[in-house]
């Protein structure tokens, strides 16, 4: 158990719909990362938040958005869903270090199926 | 960010030592080398991190030569449960959000 929780575990929805994925980081971790993993594209970085502020964006579509709340939990909002958005969505958290790479602790993921 | 290259797959048998080498010719002075393990349908799990020479923990060893252009993850006496994808990442805290997990190395351990 990494200490990172994600809900829901599974989500099945139709094209065009909107869903919200939730992540609670490990206690004390200020950074939250979101990743998408589909069968044909590996693990893709979407976005990172640090202490409530957006720090970096990766390959995140405009239909997707995220935020990190004062209690440090984060939500990833996916709208106008398409079949190709079906994937595993992982949240990770880390302590910010100066210099060396942070160890990212990944949650169990949310499996999204768009039909 | 330094580009990393690692084998696509490796096969091994229970009880053997598995060594996975990652090439990172353009590694920067401040970069660290980190390895993650991922089982199917689970998030990656941090295994080990190093900067130079050798690092060992309870699950693996990481060997980094003096020029740091490559690194080798060593898994001693593997078991069937070590079958997973292993990712090599190179970077520092200023660019950790740019890290790409790439395709990784799929290690298959057979009985």
């Amino acid at each position: 158990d990494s200490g990172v929780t994600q809900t829901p575990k599974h989500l099945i929805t139709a094209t065009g719909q909107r869903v919200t994925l939730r992540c609670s980081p490990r206690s004390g971790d200020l950074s939250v990362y979101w990743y998408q993993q589909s069968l044909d594209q590996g693990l893709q970085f979407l976005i990172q938040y640090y202490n409530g502020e957006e720090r970096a964006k990766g390959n995140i579509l405009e239909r997707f958005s995220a935020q990190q709340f004062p209690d440090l939990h984060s939500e990833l909002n996916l709208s106008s869903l398409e079949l190709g958005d079906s994937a595993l969505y992982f949240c990770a958290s880390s302590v910010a270090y100066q210099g060396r790479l942070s160890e990212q602790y990944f949650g169990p993921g949310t499996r999204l199926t768009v039909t | 960010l330094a580009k990393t290259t690692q084998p696509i797959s490796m096969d091994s048998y229970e009880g053997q030592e598995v060594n996975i080498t990652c090439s990172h010719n353009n590694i920067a002075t401040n970069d660290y080398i980190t390895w993650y393990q991922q089982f199917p349908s689970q998030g990656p799990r941090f295994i080990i991190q190093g900067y130079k020479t050798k690092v060992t923990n309870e699950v693996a060893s990481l060997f980094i030569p003096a020029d740091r252009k490559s690194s080798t993850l060593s898994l001693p006496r593997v078991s069937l449960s070590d079958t997973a994808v292993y990712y090599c990442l190179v970077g520092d805290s200023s660019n950790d959000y740019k890290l790409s997990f790439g395709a990784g190395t799929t290690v298959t351990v057979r009985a």
Side-chain angles (χ1 to χ4, degrees):
Chain A
D1 183 359
S2 66
V4 177
T5 60
Q6 289 186 249
T7 57
K9 287 187 178 178
H10 302 277
L11 199 49
I12 301 175
T13 189
T15 54
Q17 295 298 306
R18 172 190 169 95
V19 297
T20 297
L21 313 184
R22 195 178 191 277
C23 168
S24 292
R26 289 190 324 154
S27 177
D29 285 357
L30 298 179
S31 272
V32 168
Y33 309 76
W34 285 98
Y35 292 87
Q36 178 193 56
Q37 187 168 40
S38 51
L39 281 175
D40 58 350
Q41 291 193 358
L43 199 64
Q44 300 287 321
F45 166 72
L46 296 177
I47 197 165
Q48 181 199 8
Y49 280 83
Y50 177 78
N51 202 19
E53 301 285 329
E54 180 185 303
R55 183 182 179 212
K57 272 187 176 180
N59 300 320
I60 188 166
L61 300 172
E62 286 191 10
R63 300 184 284 110
F64 297 180
S65 65
Q67 54 184 327
Q68 186 179 28
F69 295 87
D71 67 353
L72 300 178
H73 90 270
S74 178
E75 293 181 355
L76 179 67
N77 301 297
L78 315 176
S79 61
S80 303
L81 285 168
E82 302 174 0
L83 295 178
D85 297 327
S86 296
L88 263 172
Y89 290 84
F90 289 107
C91 167
S93 73
S94 72
V95 173
Y97 289 115
Q98 287 292 333
R100 73 174 182 92
L101 277 174
S102 304
E103 301 160 20
Q104 294 188 33
Y105 293 86
F106 283 77
T110 293
R111 183 173 293 281
L112 173 66
T113 302
V114 182
T115 61
Chain B
L1 281 180
K3 177 176 162 53
T4 60
T5 303
Q6 52 183 122
I8 297 291
S9 63
M10 296 182 73
D11 288 345
S12 184
Y13 290 91
E14 284 189 292
Q16 290 190 336
E17 178 181 81
V18 171
N19 296 307
I20 310 170
T21 297
C22 178
S23 297
H24 29 79
N25 291 320
N26 296 324
I27 189 168
T29 303
N30 295 334
D31 285 347
Y32 283 74
I33 300 153
T34 304
W35 286 82
Y36 284 82
Q37 173 193 56
Q38 186 179 25
F39 298 112
S41 298
Q42 294 185 27
R45 182 175 73 103
F46 171 88
I47 301 176
I48 198 166
Q49 182 178 102
Y51 183 80
K52 62 180 179 180
T53 63
K54 177 184 174 182
V55 180
T56 297
N57 62 22
E58 63 277 7
V59 298
S61 294
L62 179 59
F63 298 91
I64 306 168
D67 66 6
R68 305 200 326 123
K69 293 184 184 298
S70 67
S71 58
T72 299
L73 174 72
S74 181
L75 307 172
R77 297 180 298 282
V78 294
S79 63
L80 296 177
S81 63
D82 292 315
T83 293
V85 179
Y86 293 82
Y87 299 97
C88 168
L89 282 72
V90 173
D92 67 30
S93 62
S94 68
N95 55 31
D96 61 350
Y97 56 88
K98 294 183 182 178
L99 293 175
S100 168
F101 277 75
T105 298
T106 298
V107 172
T108 303
V109 180
R110 306 181 194 281

